[in-house]
Amino acid sequence: MNLKKSLLLTSSLLFAPLQFLTAGTAHAEAPNVVVSIKPIHSLVASIMQGVGEPSLIVEGAASPHTYSMKPSNASALENAKIVFWVGHGLEAFLEKPLETLGNGATIVELDDAPGLEKLKFREGGAFEPHDDGDEHEAGAEHAHSGEEAHHHDEGEYDMHLWLDPANAKAMATQIEKTLAEADPANAAAYKTNLDALNARLDTLDKTIADTIAPIKDKPFIVFHDAYQYFEHRYHVKVAGSITVSPETLPGAQRLSDIHAKIVELGATCVFAEPQFEPKLVNVVLEGTPAKSGTLDPEAATLDAGPDLYFQMMESIGTSLKACLSSGS
């Protein structure tokens, strides 16, 4: 009898580590997933929580508008099973690498996700370049205008789709579907995470609406025209942008026009962005009562991860309220 008990005890002790290891590997190994930019990476990371961690290409304070590929990015793409990006109109630097390096991967262009609300590029007025008196500056503006026209012809709509939580939900649904099809062993976990993410996005949407309700009728100027989806969702009044696109600096005439717009509308604030030249904001502010603030539509100052999207969107709302509430 004692021998039998001893054998049973020995068997239990031998089996215990196996049980522990099994409990620690409840999810099958996740596929290698690569994501282009921080806001989209945050959505993917939320859906992959507890299963795996996606890789990010545009890290730190870099911007997709001015990014250059690194060898580590090329390596990540070569090993990827799934690549998520917004599309040709935003991450132009990825077009050729995806053709040559991403052949073995499922490439998901999220601007094709079902259920997205897409807004046309703004045309005219304070959202377009103007003729410059100086020939050199005029040439730069006109060349850029042609470049912009090319992008407009390709996509015909604004690519900053993630700045509306409803669009974030549409993209998240496409992300979950892609992950579940590529990795059916973890499909249940992806679905559970999607449901949690959608509930969190609904709460975020209400929080932002409540935050900016007191200031949504006050006009303001932004650094570049990235906020149309936020404006459309929450009915704030973006009166113009300093530059059409951050790849090209504005000429003197455009800065003068924006300065006049601030005076004409009584715009309370002019918002810079962390990645781009802050001196231009000071130029258009000079001689006006408007204040300056900072908006971060690409989350340049935030750490990548599941919480980033929520921190970024809440920060836009609180930054708008802080500056516009204090304006005259």
Side-chain angles (χ1 to χ4, degrees):
M1 189 67 176
N2 289 338
L3 178 60
K4 185 176 180 181
K5 286 183 178 179
S6 177
L7 289 171
L8 287 171
L9 179 60
T10 302
S11 176
S12 297
L13 289 172
L14 288 171
F15 186 62
L18 181 60
Q19 286 180 309
F20 178 77
L21 289 172
T22 303
T25 56
H27 294 295
E29 185 176 353
N32 287 331
V33 177
V34 177
V35 189
S36 59
I37 62 172
K38 282 182 171 182
I40 305 304
H41 177 271
S42 181
L43 299 176
V44 177
S46 292
I47 295 170
M48 293 186 71
Q49 272 191 304
V51 179
E53 295 183 9
S55 299
L56 173 64
I57 293 180
V58 183
E59 297 180 308
S63 168
H65 297 286
T66 55
Y67 193 73
S68 297
M69 287 279 289
K70 300 175 182 178
S72 59
N73 301 146
S75 177
L77 289 175
E78 284 176 346
N79 295 317
K81 184 171 182 181
I82 304 171
V83 179
F84 292 107
W85 67 318
V86 180
H88 298 273
L90 184 75
E91 308 102 318
F93 71 91
L94 267 179
E95 291 178 353
K96 290 182 180 178
L98 286 178
E99 290 175 5
T100 58
L101 298 175
N103 292 333
T106 298
I107 300 170
V108 182
E109 196 168 336
L110 287 170
D111 67 339
D112 290 331
L116 284 177
E117 181 174 17
K118 299 179 182 179
L119 303 176
K120 296 283 188 180
F121 282 107
R122 288 193 245 236
E123 304 289 345
F127 295 102
E128 283 292 331
H130 299 270
D131 288 344
D132 239 327
D134 181 89
E135 288 185 6
H136 173 73
E137 289 181 334
E141 289 280 11
H142 292 163
H144 179 61
S145 181
E147 180 184 321
E148 280 295 307
H150 172 68
H151 286 301
H152 289 201
D153 290 341
E154 278 187 354
E156 297 184 350
Y157 52 85
D158 187 334
M159 293 294 285
H160 298 85
L161 299 156
W162 63 88
L163 290 177
D164 180 342
N167 277 349
K169 290 177 74 172
M171 290 189 284
T173 298
Q174 183 62 46
I175 291 164
E176 184 271 338
K177 179 183 178 184
T178 303
L179 289 169
E181 289 176 353
D183 182 22
N186 288 311
Y190 297 138
K191 179 61 168 65
T192 297
N193 287 342
L194 175 64
D195 291 343
L197 175 60
N198 283 338
R200 204 175 168 194
L201 287 168
D202 287 339
T203 300
L204 172 72
D205 190 27
K206 185 178 185 307
T207 297
I208 295 172
D210 291 345
T211 297
I212 65 171
I215 50 85
K216 64 182 183 180
D217 293 327
K218 295 189 176 184
F220 58 94
I221 304 292
V222 295
F223 182 79
H224 84 289
D225 191 17
Y227 304 91
Q228 191 177 183
Y229 290 96
F230 192 96
E231 177 184 359
H232 182 70
R233 182 73 179 177
Y234 300 110
H235 309 292
V236 293
K237 293 183 67 174
V238 180
S241 60
I242 293 175
T243 182
V244 176
S245 182
E247 294 98 326
T248 302
L249 296 179
Q253 184 59 48
R254 180 171 184 81
L255 295 176
S256 177
D257 289 342
I258 295 299
H259 183 277
K261 193 75 164 175
I262 295 170
V263 175
E264 174 194 345
L265 295 176
T268 310
C269 291
V270 179
F271 289 95
E273 291 178 22
Q275 309 100 310
F276 305 114
E277 182 53 70
K279 291 180 181 177
L280 295 175
V281 172
N282 295 331
V283 170
V284 298
L285 279 173
E286 189 175 355
T288 78
K291 299 178 182 297
S292 65
T294 301
L295 299 177
D296 191 5
E298 292 159 6
T301 60
L302 300 175
D303 293 332
D307 292 331
L308 174 141
Y309 182 83
F310 300 89
Q311 294 167 350
M312 175 194 69
M313 293 293 287
E314 288 176 359
S315 175
I316 292 173
T318 55
S319 294
L320 285 173
K321 183 178 181 180
C323 190
L324 293 170
S325 296
S326 64
S328 55

